[in-house]
Amino acid sequence: METTPIRRPLTCAIVDDEPLALNVLAEYCAQVPFLALKGQFREALAAVEFLQDNPVDIVFLDIHMPRLTGLQLARLLPVPAPRIIFTTAHAEYAAESYDLPALDYLLKPIRFERFVLATHRARAALAPVGAGATAEPAENLNDALFVRQDNRLRRVLVADLYYAEGQKEYLMLYTAAGKLLTLQSFRGLEELLPPGRFVRIHKSYLISLRHLEFVERTRVQVHGTSLPIGETYREAFLEHLRYHGRV
């Protein structure tokens, strides 16, 4: 009879200069059976020194830290580098964080169920694969999310989502099947979407990079529609495009 292989725990470390955030993440790690916390650090340089000699599978990494930011620290990690899950209160860093690349991006205050989702993504990405396979498959055109519309859940293919527009407490989703209004926040939608394939360009717009057609100084075109680039989102958005050779 074929038996299921036993997975070892995933080792992890936490880097955050805020004591409260550090304690919350440590408590979360303790509640996830397949995580083994090996270190927690308030100083980025101390974390780098530890990780050089003590490799781990995952690093929960704050971005906005003194002396050395999380984005800078991520570029100093040893090879092979651990998977990075960024933790921050600053949503504008999301696009740049995915360029490193990041496995996930958690916006503070971090809810436990969202933390668990990120750890399961890490577990799936680090699962053993057969010869010739890859741990991170290419974009799956059958990926879908379910969003609430009226009293039902509607299935939306991720590949068919062009962009989302904020309308107070609602989001209007523009898809290949038409428009869909849902009682949802940008944060809630971003938690449902695959990391790295969508980017916020404005306080009112999140777009699919798959359907991005061209970029001007202050606007983009997505599937035939012109959308504005917000001033506070411009630099992170353009940096994301430069990294991927789109500009």
Side-chain angles (χ1 to χ4, degrees):
M1 187 173 81
E2 187 175 341
T3 59
T4 302
I6 298 175
R7 294 182 182 179
R8 65 171 179 81
L10 300 183
T11 57
C12 62
I14 306 169
V15 187
D16 199 311
D17 65 309
E18 299 175 10
L20 178 60
L22 202 65
N23 291 338
V24 167
L25 288 172
E27 290 175 4
Y28 283 179
C29 288
Q31 296 178 60
V32 178
F34 57 82
L35 289 183
L37 182 59
K38 296 299 182 181
Q40 42 188 307
F41 305 90
R42 293 182 59 189
E43 291 286 338
L45 291 175
V48 171
E49 184 176 357
F50 173 84
L51 293 169
Q52 291 288 344
D53 298 322
N54 302 273
V56 297
D57 297 311
I58 309 166
V59 175
F60 296 97
L61 182 57
D62 187 22
I63 292 181
H64 193 70
M65 295 187 293
R67 299 182 62 190
L68 192 69
T69 70
L71 296 172
Q72 293 168 330
L73 185 153
R75 295 181 172 92
L76 298 176
L77 292 175
V79 178
R83 299 302 176 104
I84 300 168
I85 296 177
F86 280 111
T87 62
T88 184
H90 303 274
E92 64 269 23
Y93 292 123
E96 187 176 355
S97 73
Y98 286 131
D99 288 342
L100 289 169
L103 185 65
D104 210 336
Y105 183 97
L106 303 179
L107 192 61
K108 297 176 181 176
I110 301 167
R111 296 178 290 114
F112 180 64
E113 58 268 30
R114 182 64 180 88
F115 177 86
V116 171
L117 176 60
T119 61
H120 277 276
R121 285 178 175 168
R123 195 184 196 194
L126 291 163
V129 293
T134 175
E136 291 190 28
E139 179 179 350
N140 185 347
L141 298 182
N142 292 318
D143 284 348
L145 60 147
F146 289 86
V147 296
R148 185 168 296 280
Q149 185 185 40
D150 299 325
N151 294 319
R152 64 179 65 178
L153 291 174
R154 290 283 302 274
R155 182 173 182 267
V156 178
L157 288 176
V158 172
D160 287 348
L161 176 58
Y162 304 145
Y163 65 95
E165 177 184 11
Q167 299 184 359
K168 295 184 179 179
E169 68 269 30
Y170 290 87
L171 290 180
M172 181 68 78
L173 306 185
Y174 294 80
T175 78
K179 296 190 294 186
L180 191 159
L181 186 66
T182 180
L183 182 61
Q184 178 71 279
S185 66
F186 275 114
R187 179 177 177 181
L189 177 63
E190 287 169 332
E191 290 177 354
L192 297 174
L193 293 170
R197 285 157 53 182
F198 292 79
V199 63
R200 194 87 173 266
I201 62 164
H202 187 278
K203 67 178 181 179
S204 298
Y205 294 103
L206 177 143
I207 68 169
S208 166
L209 294 177
R210 174 184 177 86
H211 297 287
L212 176 62
E213 295 171 343
F214 63 76
V215 180
E216 296 178 337
R217 196 177 73 84
T218 61
R219 306 187 73 82
V220 301
Q221 181 164 300
V222 178
H223 197 72
T225 301
S226 179
L227 302 172
I229 302 173
E231 183 66 32
T232 58
Y233 294 86
R234 178 181 293 113
E235 188 55 39
F237 171 56
L238 293 178
E239 198 60 38
H240 186 98
L241 298 183
R242 291 188 193 104
Y243 180 86
H244 290 287
R246 296 174 186 245
V247 295

